[in-house]
Each structure stands twice: as C-alpha cells, then as structure tokens.
Amino acid sequence: MDLQKFREEIDSIDDQILRLLNQRMEVVKLIGRHKKMEGSVIYRPEREREIIARLNSLNQGLLNEAAIEAIYLEIFAVSRNLELPERVAYLGPLGSYTHQAAESRFGAMSEYLSMNNIASVFKTVESKRAKYGVVPIENNKNGVVGETLDLLGKSSLKIVAELTMPIHHTFATQCDSLKEIRRIYSKDIAFGQCLNFLSEYNLEEVERIPVDSTAKAAQLAASEPHTAAICSHIAAKLYHLPILFENIEDSSHNKTRFVIISDFKNQASGSDKTSIFADISHTDKPGALLGLLKDISGLGLNMTKIESRPRIDAAKDFAFCFFIDFEGHIDDENVQELLKRRGDEIKWLGSYVRG
C-alpha cells in the first residue's frame, strides 16, 4: 500500500472541491445581487431542503443523509453570508444550547447576538437589529417553553424554520474528587433531567444552585473552587472547565425543538408545517374547542400539536387560547379555508419546512 499515493489523490480531489466551491460562491454572489435589487429574502429554508433532498436521491456513495445535510448546511451558511452578512440573535449566553442550535443552522461566519432572555430576542429582531432570532419552543421531556408561545402570540414575527437537537449534559468541575464538591450550578430544567446521575453518584445532598443557563453554570464553576456544573460540552470547552462525566442525562432521547423567527413568509416546499394561535370565542361553553378541531379534521389537516395557554389580558379568570401545529402551508387551499371560516379567531404564526 502506497500511503503517499493515496494522500496525493486526496490532495487532488480537495483541489477540485475547492475550485468547485469557489465556482459555486461566484454564482451565489450573483444571486445575492439579484435578491438585493428585488428586496427579496436571503434565507430560504424550503430551497435548502429541496437541494438536500435532491442530493440524497442522487447519492450512491459512502456519505449518509446526515453527513450530506451537515456538509451542505455549512455551505449554505457560508453562501448566505456572501449574499448578505447575517446577524442572528439567540437566547444566550455564549455556549448555551440555543447558541449551539443557531450555529448549526447559520454557521461560523454569521454575527451572533447573545440575549439574556427570550423577550429580548424578539425585540432585537422586531427592531431589525438582527434579521433572525433563535429560541427554544419545547423539550420532549419538559414540555413547551411558555414564554416563547406567548411572545409568538403577541409579535408580528413569524416562525420561518424549526430544528430539533439532541440535548446531552456533561458534569464538569475543577475538583479532582466528587467529595470536594460543595455546590452544583445548572439550569433548573437540566437538574431535573439528570436526577438519576445525581442519585447514583451520591450527589443528592450537595447544594444545587439554579442559574439562567447551563453556560452560566459552566462560567461560575470555572471561577469558583469546590463547585461543579451540569452543562453542555461546548460550554465546558468555552470556559476551560474539565469534564468529569459525559451524557449524564436520564434519557438518551432528550431533545429540544428550536424555532427561527424573522419577518418574512416562506414559499411552500411540499413538506411544510403551519403554526397558529386560536383564540376561540366562548371557551367556557361545551364544544367550543371541539368545533375548531372538527374544522381542522374535516379539511384534511393533520394536527401534530395542541397546547393551551392562559389569556393574560382576558376579562374572565382562567380564559385560554390554543397553540396548534398542523401539516400544510398557509397558501394551501384547505388552510386558507380554515382561516376563512375562523376569521379573527386565528392568528397565523408561520409556515415552514418540517424539521
């Protein structure tokens, strides 16, 4: 086996890849100029999904679907920044899971704005200080993020994309032994997701201090003696905090769904999801919600989620509205018919490619 020959062959292939990528970026620049003249949107999730689906259908090599998607999402991110540099607001701080989700979609070249809370992400995008916002909307173990749902109900911004990310927690500390640890920092939800680990390693009696984010936990544990953090791998790395244990969550299927918010409408892709807020009249009377669900079902819409939320501005106590997801696009005939029937009772929150 001539290893040097193989290396030379790889170098030759890399030369071709680089040449073709630069050729692709030249076309991207032309598209960017055209979009700028027309004032059209740079980020088109449905077009990116179409490209990945086409490449997967042609693929006959060793790369699997996940690998193709990972490679091309980074290419797309670089391409968008050549068309028009992107600024992305996210629920911070640096190293949070939302930061990780944002980078997975927008790449390393985008400019990221770390926000202290979800409301600030919405305000930053609404004021056009950022084009996009990335916020968590639900976890498959802990349920929905109520603040995100409530802000979607009040804001003019739309959901333009969703992504689901596996959540893996690490136990990080500068202590050489678990016996030295006096305090553990983490987000309250993360504590709840790692109870088995804390019990198995006799850490149940150690003081737990909830903080705003797991990234903040890593930052504090890196600067204080006799402390530890339950945090993400990226947060531990950013704050130079040694990892003692990885993947300490109770469930290996722990996932969080994030949404990307902005001020534009997606084109239909053929594989879309639509989110709405339904503020139904007379919810205190029997059958009010059932009537809406019958309309959704009767129009052939496959509902994938429903969540009740309290109406804060309601005149009556314990009044509710409903956050609903179903398959389809706002421009589909049956979705338009639903909006026509229900009129002011429904607020459209966005149509986007199913993640």
Side-chain angles (χ1 to χ4, degrees), residues 280 283 285-294 306 322 324 342:
I280 308 168
T283 52
K285 295 183 179 179
L289 175 59
L290 179 61
L292 173 63
L293 298 182
K294 281 185 175 179
I306 182 168
F322 300 90
I324 297 172
R342 288 288 166 169

Side-chain angles (χ1 to χ4, degrees), residues 4 120 247 348:
Q4 183 58 35
S120 295
N247 300 334
W348 173 58

Side-chain angles (χ1 to χ4, degrees), residues 149 153 275-281 283 288-289 292-293 296 303 305-311 319-326 338-339 342-349:
L149 297 188
S275 296
I276 62 171
F277 245 124
D279 190 357
I280 308 168
S281 303
T283 52
L289 175 59
L292 173 63
L293 298 182
I296 292 173
M303 188 174 68
K305 184 174 188 62
I306 182 168
E307 189 81 26
S308 65
R309 294 299 301 161
R311 285 186 55 194
F320 293 89
C321 51
F322 300 90
F323 175 86
I324 297 172
D325 288 338
F326 53 76
L338 177 67
L339 297 179
R342 288 288 166 169
D344 295 338
E345 289 185 338
I346 288 180
K347 181 188 178 187
W348 173 58
L349 303 180

Side-chain angles (χ1 to χ4, degrees), residues 14-162:
D14 284 341
D15 292 346
Q16 295 177 60
I17 292 173
L18 180 61
R19 177 177 56 81
L20 289 171
L21 283 173
N22 276 311
Q23 187 177 328
R24 188 187 199 280
M25 296 308 164
E26 289 295 334
V27 178
V28 164
K29 283 186 71 175
L30 296 175
I31 293 173
R33 288 175 192 165
H34 181 74
K35 286 182 176 179
K36 192 172 182 180
M37 289 173 59
E38 289 192 336
S40 57
V41 176
I42 298 296
Y43 182 38
R44 285 295 186 189
E46 73 281 0
R47 170 59 179 154
E48 294 180 359
R49 180 57 55 188
E50 178 187 318
I51 292 171
I52 291 173
R54 183 181 68 82
L55 292 173
N56 280 323
S57 69
L58 296 173
N59 181 38
Q60 295 181 343
L62 295 176
L63 291 175
N64 60 23
E65 185 174 345
I68 291 172
E69 182 172 5
I71 291 166
Y72 271 84
L73 283 177
E74 191 63 36
I75 291 173
F76 295 151
V78 173
S79 299
R80 290 195 301 267
N81 276 279
L82 284 177
E83 292 181 63
L84 185 69
E86 293 175 333
R87 184 176 288 170
V88 183
Y90 68 92
L91 177 63
L94 187 70
S96 66
Y97 289 108
T98 312
H99 178 208
Q100 189 173 329
E103 280 208 344
S104 74
R105 187 54 56 95
F106 291 99
M109 289 180 63
S110 295
E111 180 182 352
Y112 293 94
L113 302 178
S114 172
M115 301 287 111
N116 287 330
N117 52 61
I118 294 171
S120 295
V121 176
F122 275 79
K123 288 177 183 176
T124 300
V125 181
E126 287 168 343
S127 64
K128 303 192 183 302
R129 293 193 296 271
K131 180 65 178 176
Y132 307 101
V134 183
V135 291
I137 193 167
E138 65 175 322
N139 177 270
N140 65 340
K141 302 299 178 185
N142 297 93
V144 298
V145 180
E147 185 180 4
T148 296
L149 297 188
D150 294 341
L151 287 166
L152 283 168
K154 294 187 292 185
S155 176
S156 61
L157 298 175
K158 304 300 179 191
I159 301 172
V160 299
E162 68 172 356

Side-chain angles (χ1 to χ4, degrees), residues 28 190 237 240 262 312 324 327:
V28 164
K237 184 178 179 181
H240 308 290
S262 194
I312 299 172
I324 297 172
E327 294 177 358

